[in-house]
Amino acid sequence: MEITLRILQLIFKCIYVVVYSILNTFLKRKGPPTIPPIRNQLITFPLVDVIKLMRQRKLKSQDLVKAYIERIKEVEPHINAVVQDRFESALEDAKRADGLIAKTTDSNLPALFNRYTLLGIPFTVKESCGLKGMPFRVGSRQRAHMICSENGEVVSNVIAAGGIPLLVSITPEYCFSMETNPATQKSCLNVYDSRRTAGGSSGGEGALNGAGASLFGIGSDIGGSIRIPSLFNGVFGHKPTGGVVSVAGHFPYSGEENGKQYFQGGPITRFGRDLGLLMQVMAGKNAQKLDLLTPVVTKDVKIFYSMGFDGLNGLLHKSTEQDIQFSILLALKFLKNHGCKIELASMKMFKDSMEISIAGLLMLKEFPYLIQSENPNKVRQHLLELCKSLIGKSEYTKEAIIFDLFRIANGFMPAANVKKYKREIQILKNKFTKMLGNDSVLLFPTLPMPALHHNTSALALWNIDYTMIFNIIGLPCTHIPMGLNKDGLPVGFQVIAAPYKDRLCIQIAAELEAAFSGWTVPTPHELEPLDDSIRF
Ligand SMILES: *[C@@H]1O[C@H](CO)[C@@H](O)[C@H](O)[C@H]1NC(C)=O
Ligand SMILES: *[C@@H]1O[C@H](CO)[C@@H](O)[C@H](O)[C@H]1NC(C)=O
């Protein structure tokens, strides 16, 4: 354990507790969410059902794409999630998909849909993942005029399967934050309480999916960037096994071996039952390593759980809020009744979770820095820039400067100790993988708290190892939403399995979605009858 780092962590924990007790005392209870209700039934169907209807020629791509375009236009003023749309081109793509389906004979239709799993299916993309011809600013004023020249690898896998991108969604500057506060446009707002952040860095995808304005989104995760916005906006998000879903073409990117292990693309969606299919497509030729089509028998999965890190490490983190603990207990009770074996996990092997997470991050030499400079005293320069950003005088955002600062200050650790923690990565991975074996998962908080108030994420950053440690050791994790807490904010937890056992996480997600609420609608639906042209 690193004394300086941990003292900082403790200080920030105390500030967090004070700030949040003040906020909770003085802020009025929130009103109902402002998101308009869903009226079009097409928006309520999971991907697996939509695909069936299209295969039966009962649903046209154009109708589905139009429905989502209308929904996005309706919610965007309430969430600020879009960087730029491509609605007109998407409608043309949909027309082409419908044309292809129309001219294919019934006997050839299965082959067409086997070739193009997502033919005519609309989706949304986190801007940083790279969609050709679209903006590529990633929240940074330095990149204000950048246009993406090539589809990122995960994006290109989804497009090759016939998917139709509708837009690119907002991220924090360089994706260096757990709240989506870019320098280039307004902050992304939480779907359930606009006074709070949508999370980050896949904040735009979290908000769009939470608002029911995307059938699924492509996100990316190097330290929780898929799972945190999923938690904050009440949807499912999967961070795959290290090395399975490539984000080549992403900005920022690190092409070295460790970068490819830590940094993964993955799905964000309202529907847990869609995760398997989405992973099959996003993983491309790596999908076979995951064996996603082999059914998992839920009662044969052994369930470990923990309410957080334990011992001194646990005490230095924020304690896990009761409603999040309760969501884990609910799931345990259900899984136990289902026949699963349940066991409290010892988290002792994670006693250096923070140090190991940072050491992993420090290994990424190719990962770009926000502030490029020759200044010999970089730490001082960054601190100065941080002060400027706090009074609105910097072209950079404070969250991204803090992230940079962590890297140039070596995580506030002496170099020799960083070396030691780097060596511990593999040891921890081996130990924990052995504990999980081929048939176990761990239920664990995604973060100890639900959606944060805007501009407070620097106080909560000291809990990032809850998610990040599993990037560094390369394990698959799924965030599962489990309804709302007493303040109307989404709660839930992550399920973690051994490498290449993504299907265990995904099975538990689907099982709990069927048993509990899964995604909870922010505003009750006001469904209208479907058009006569769309009858099932
Ligand atoms: C897990 O499965 C692999 C092959 O799928 C097998 O080689 C290995 O022995 C299994 N491990 C355990 C602990 O059962
Ligand atoms: C957060 O703070 C920045 C300044 O650092 C400000 O521009 C932004 O509007 C704030 N976000 C919200 C939602 O209040």
Side-chain angles (χ1 to χ4, degrees), residues 181 187 189 389-390 398 454-455:
N181 245 357
S187 307
L189 308 180
S389 78
L390 291 176
K398 54 190 177 311
H454 289 289
N455 282 321

Side-chain angles (χ1 to χ4, degrees), residues 89 105 115 124 146 165 171 251 291 348 356 403 416 474 513:
S89 314
T105 62
R115 168 71 188 79
T124 52
M146 295 272 223
T171 69
F251 181 86
D291 206 7
K348 270 204 198 76
I356 294 176
F403 186 90
E513 175 182 39

Side-chain angles (χ1 to χ4, degrees), residues 100-147:
L100 185 59
I101 295 168
K103 74 168 197 234
T104 305
T105 62
D106 284 352
S107 59
N108 287 337
L109 211 52
L112 179 70
F113 280 105
N114 281 343
R115 168 71 188 79
Y116 299 106
T117 318
L118 299 180
L119 184 58
I121 301 294
F123 69 100
T124 52
V125 187
K126 180 184 186 182
E127 188 200 25
S128 57
C129 292
L131 181 58
K132 189 175 172 180
M134 298 295 278
F136 208 25
R137 339 181 162 123
V138 195
S140 160
R141 285 196 214 160
Q142 307 175 80
R143 299 175 56 89
H145 303 291
M146 295 272 223
I147 299 290

Side-chain angles (χ1 to χ4, degrees), residues 258-403:
N258 289 317
K260 288 183 187 165
Q261 283 294 314
Y262 304 163
F263 201 3
Q264 297 298 297
I268 295 181
T269 167
R270 280 170 285 157
F271 306 107
R273 66 206 104 153
D274 291 342
L275 288 170
L277 178 64
L278 290 173
M279 276 303 297
Q280 189 74 25
V281 173
M282 289 187 191
K285 51 185 188 311
N286 283 336
Q288 62 194 38
K289 293 187 190 161
L290 302 183
D291 206 7
L292 290 161
L293 303 177
T294 305
V296 175
V297 181
T298 307
K299 72 171 178 43
D300 295 340
V301 180
K302 181 174 175 189
I303 313 286
F304 285 100
Y305 73 98
S306 174
M307 296 301 176
F309 292 121
D310 51 20
L312 180 58
N313 189 21
L315 287 177
L316 292 169
H317 288 80
K318 155 129 184 48
S319 56
T320 303
E321 292 194 11
Q322 293 247 308
D323 294 318
I324 292 178
Q325 296 202 26
F326 188 65
S327 75
I328 296 179
L329 289 175
L330 267 181
L332 288 174
K333 185 160 180 230
F334 169 80
L335 292 166
K336 189 169 177 197
N337 287 339
H338 217 80
C340 299
K341 279 207 205 85
I342 310 282
E343 188 178 328
L344 178 63
S346 160
M347 298 299 284
K348 270 204 198 76
M349 64 182 100
F350 286 90
K351 67 180 175 20
D352 292 330
S353 55
M354 189 62 142
E355 290 80 357
I356 294 176
S357 298
I358 295 172
L361 188 68
L362 294 175
M363 286 169 84
L364 304 183
K365 302 285 179 238
E366 289 177 19
F367 214 56
Y369 288 91
L370 173 71
I371 305 177
Q372 305 285 347
S373 89
E374 302 298 321
N375 192 326
N377 196 340
K378 287 209 181 86
V379 173
R380 205 175 124 193
Q381 185 197 12
H382 276 70
L383 287 172
L384 206 68
E385 201 63 45
L386 183 59
C387 294
K388 278 164 70 183
S389 78
L390 291 176
I391 52 169
K393 297 279 177 222
S394 171
E395 68 167 310
Y396 306 107
T397 56
K398 54 190 177 311
E399 294 81 9
I401 300 171
I402 292 172
F403 186 90

Side-chain angles (χ1 to χ4, degrees), residues 54-70:
M54 290 193 38
R55 289 182 181 201
Q56 294 164 354
R57 302 186 195 271
K58 286 178 177 166
L59 173 62
K60 283 200 169 126
S61 170
Q62 290 172 86
D63 290 316
L64 190 64
V65 168
K66 271 185 208 148
Y68 274 101
I69 290 176
E70 273 171 36

